Amino acid sequence: MGRDHGFHPVRITRIIQETPDTRTYVLDAPFPYRAGQFVTIKACGTLRSYSMSSSPETDTELMTTVKRVPGGLVSNWMHDHLAPGDVLETTLPAGVFCLREDGEAGAAHELTVPVVAFCGGSGITPVLSLAKSALAGTGRPVRVLSANRDADAVIFASALGELERRYPGRFEIRHHLDDWEGFVTADQVREFAGGDTHADFYLCGPAPFMELVENALLAHGVAPERIFVERFAQAADPPPEDAPEREGTLTLVLSGKRHTLAQRSGETFLESARRAGLAPPFSCEAGNCATCIAQVTEGEAKMRVNNALDEDEIAEGWVLTCQGEPTAPHVTVVYED
């Protein structure tokens, strides 16, 4: 399918302290990527995905921004132990939280429609990447509402201010501070969207924030296909151990070895693999990162959520195993070696 899902050593060249609990890691990683994508980092015996804050249209270096999460295994390790010169293992960039291209947007005039983004906390990271690319590479106006708990928590305040100075009349940043204004309301979402219901809307942030914004936009008359969401979702509860088996088989091919078991109702491919005692790759378990990707070579499958694979990849049979489940009596899923 043309995408490399292996891990590559990349060296940290600089570390930028954005806020007391947020750092940008500048990487010596000449990878091609699209604005809004992420890399998956292997560290501490696990995997975590972090969005890029750089833009291929404006930045010569790849940058990923990481906020320290209380109790977060990888984010705390990165903040406490990494220094310039250290090497990380990362995948190539991936993800579909991107600006639409010509073929995706249809008529060329579609690329003049506004980009309107709502982000909460570190959700500004991919939005900054998108904003820089849209402003530098198109003529589209860009408006961003960035919600944070207080002024000290605002990430990229300087960079966002510079964009406003560089693109007067085309870029607007509105900082919403919870300690002054309370949490963002549906009325404020609708007010910020205004008459631009034909715009492309990008949402990134905590789950309650995302749900409120998405529902407010839909109620405001925005078409669902105009709303692009980068979700910070929790994994769904696994099916109960006594979930009924159903007619059919599932064959999983991992490291060249075939494992065949009965299908079980409501069970994803990843859950089936665990039931078989296997340890396939995975990370977010929310359909966002593509770490768990595999290819359906026999039968058919459906995905509950897909925020990582594009239409061409799906057509080739690739599936997010944390979200995919069989829809045919006999299904074979092959993990990459």
Side-chain angles (χ1 to χ4, degrees):
M1 74 187 213
R3 187 196 285 184
D4 177 355
H5 288 91
F7 285 85
H8 303 263
V10 297
R11 186 172 60 87
I12 300 170
T13 60
R14 290 183 293 130
I15 298 177
I16 303 168
Q17 192 77 41
E18 304 286 359
T19 70
D21 60 1
T22 307
R23 291 180 176 180
T24 291
Y25 296 85
V26 183
L27 306 177
D28 182 14
F31 301 148
Y33 69 100
R34 292 177 65 185
Q37 291 190 310
F38 58 82
V39 292
T40 298
I41 293 173
K42 181 190 293 185
C44 305
T46 189
L47 306 172
R48 292 291 186 274
S49 297
Y50 296 108
S51 296
M52 264 90 72
S53 49
S54 55
S55 157
E57 279 73 30
T58 62
D59 299 301
T60 58
E61 300 170 300
L62 190 149
M63 306 176 207
T64 185
T65 300
V66 179
K67 183 175 181 178
R68 185 192 290 271
V69 178
L73 179 63
V74 176
S75 65
N76 282 280
W77 174 80
M78 292 180 70
H79 276 248
D80 293 338
H81 298 288
L82 291 181
D86 288 339
V87 173
L88 286 170
E89 287 189 90
T90 80
T91 61
L92 298 185
V96 295
F97 188 68
C98 301
L99 296 172
R100 293 187 302 165
E101 296 181 333
D102 289 308
E104 300 167 324
H109 75 272
E110 287 275 17
L111 295 183
T112 65
V113 302
V115 173
V116 181
F118 293 85
C119 48
S122 60
I124 186 63
T125 300
V127 168
L128 175 63
S129 178
L130 293 171
K132 289 191 290 188
S133 283
L135 292 168
T138 76
R140 305 175 70 178
V142 179
R143 297 192 290 115
V144 178
L145 187 151
S146 177
N148 288 278
R149 64 178 182 270
D150 54 41
D152 290 339
V154 176
I155 306 171
F156 308 129
S158 177
L160 293 165
E162 176 58 29
L163 287 179
E164 202 164 36
R165 290 187 290 274
R166 188 182 304 171
Y167 298 98
R170 281 190 60 209
F171 180 72
E172 175 190 349
I173 174 66
R174 181 179 299 182
H175 292 291
H176 178 102
L177 302 180
D178 295 344
D179 64 343
W180 281 89
E181 306 173 73
F183 293 137
V184 172
T185 67
D187 285 343
Q188 290 170 327
V189 171
R190 290 190 287 267
E191 184 273 330
F192 191 75
D196 289 330
T197 55
H198 66 296
D200 285 345
F201 291 87
Y202 290 84
L203 284 56
C204 190
F209 172 86
M210 307 272 277
E211 182 178 3
L212 180 142
V213 174
E214 186 172 15
N215 288 339
L217 291 175
L218 292 171
H220 192 53
V222 177
E225 61 269 21
R226 292 286 190 180
I227 302 174
F228 304 87
V229 183
E230 187 81 313
R231 298 188 187 278
F232 295 152
Q234 298 297 318
D237 291 334
E241 292 185 4
D242 60 352
E245 292 186 353
R246 63 186 181 194
E247 186 175 348
T249 61
L250 171 62
T251 299
L252 302 168
V253 182
L254 182 64
S255 300
K257 297 182 179 179
R258 299 173 67 88
H259 309 264
T260 300
L261 59 157
Q263 294 184 18
R264 181 173 286 179
S265 297
E267 190 172 70
T268 66
F269 295 130
L270 178 59
E271 289 161 349
S272 297
R274 289 171 174 158
R275 175 162 59 91
L278 306 178
F282 69 93
S283 180
C284 72
E285 295 194 63
N288 294 334
C289 74
T291 302
C292 67
I293 193 170
Q295 189 173 29
V296 177
T297 60
E298 177 190 10
E300 296 180 346
K302 66 178 180 180
M303 286 185 284
R304 302 168 183 171
V305 175
N306 170 35
N307 294 319
L309 302 182
D310 60 34
E311 292 182 1
D312 290 341
E313 292 169 325
I314 294 171
E316 292 174 2
W318 295 93
V319 64
L320 304 174
T321 60
C322 74
Q323 298 295 319
E325 56 184 86
T327 58
H330 303 286
V331 176
T332 299
V333 177
V334 181
Y335 284 89
E336 290 188 308
D337 292 334

